[in-house]
Amino acid sequence: MTGRRPVTDKNSMNVRNRRVDKTRDALLTAFRHLLLNGTYDAITVSALIKAANVGHSTFYEHFENKEALLRESFSPLLEILATAVSERPKTAAIRSVVEHFWENRRLARALFAGPARDLSAQYLAEFIDEQLRREGTARSLPVPLKARHIAESQLGLLRAWVMSPERSGAAEVSAALIGSSRALARR
């Protein structure tokens, strides 16, 4: 043995990365499809792998369970909502997320109900907790409790909005979400 590292073919690594990305995308797409056509608690790993056309071991190479898939698919939106507690919230991005929920009401309704809602609130509270700790906001309550309170408030407003027959604009809803989140954060 010469002690030399094996030569890595960059093209084979790119193919592998594309294959990994393609598999993850297939699982995320299957998850969203199943969520749109049923309820979160009815989704099984078996149904996911069948819809994504992958094997059990392939699923578990990418995700620990369906909760990890929910987190992966929903986290980019939750991270943006968490900025509502900031001194400088990402107002345009928050409004885009709010508009996204309106445009995808069926999916939003599934995410804001049952076990998916509890998990969504937990994940959102984790992002809000990070934001509150960075900003060093007032500590009338322990930060995790305050973060969960704000997360529940945000999801409650969004759920009420996507379920309501009365039409409010995304601008008004995102402004209310930011205003109430900031007020709760400062208390």
Side-chain angles (χ1 to χ4, degrees):
M1 195 138 226
T2 63
R4 295 169 63 189
R5 288 184 172 183
V7 176
T8 306
D9 180 4
K10 288 184 182 180
N11 287 335
S12 66
M13 289 187 68
N14 286 338
V15 169
R16 184 184 181 318
N17 289 339
R18 283 194 306 263
R19 193 175 8 177
V20 167
D21 291 346
K22 186 176 178 182
T23 301
R24 287 180 76 75
D25 288 346
L27 286 164
L28 288 164
T29 299
F31 176 74
R32 286 186 210 102
H33 174 76
L34 291 170
L35 192 58
L36 276 171
N37 295 301
T39 61
Y40 173 77
D41 43 331
I43 297 173
T44 63
V45 171
S46 294
L48 281 164
I49 64 169
K50 183 177 179 184
N53 195 26
V54 300
H56 269 88
S57 61
T58 301
F59 174 86
Y60 289 110
E61 285 174 19
H62 295 275
F63 297 99
E64 184 178 336
N65 49 36
K66 74 177 187 177
E67 289 80 13
L69 227 144
L70 174 67
R71 183 179 190 108
E72 172 93 8
S73 63
F74 202 26
S75 285
L77 302 174
L78 298 178
E79 286 182 272
I80 292 169
L81 290 177
T83 70
V85 300
S86 173
E87 288 294 321
R88 292 190 198 113
K90 296 181 178 176
T91 307
I94 291 169
R95 182 175 176 175
S96 292
V97 168
V98 169
E99 287 171 347
H100 176 77
F101 284 132
W102 182 257
E103 292 163 1
N104 297 280
R105 285 184 296 286
R106 281 183 46 211
L107 183 58
R109 288 175 184 141
L111 288 169
F112 298 152
R117 177 160 188 325
D118 292 338
L119 289 168
S120 299
Q122 175 188 328
Y123 303 151
L124 178 56
E126 290 169 8
F127 290 121
I128 292 171
D129 185 294
E130 291 172 18
Q131 190 75 38
L132 291 173
R133 289 179 193 280
R134 267 195 304 272
E135 303 238 345
T137 60
R139 308 225 178 192
S140 58
L141 292 172
V143 174
L145 181 58
K146 183 182 280 195
R148 185 63 184 240
H149 180 195
I150 296 167
E152 294 286 351
S153 173
Q154 286 185 3
L155 293 181
L157 173 60
L158 291 168
R159 182 177 191 276
W161 183 54
V162 299
M163 301 293 264
S164 176
E166 299 170 21
R167 179 71 167 111
S168 295
E172 292 82 15
V173 172
S174 59
L177 189 141
I178 291 167
S180 63
S181 297
R182 298 226 34 248
L184 289 170
R186 286 192 304 263
R187 291 202 50 121

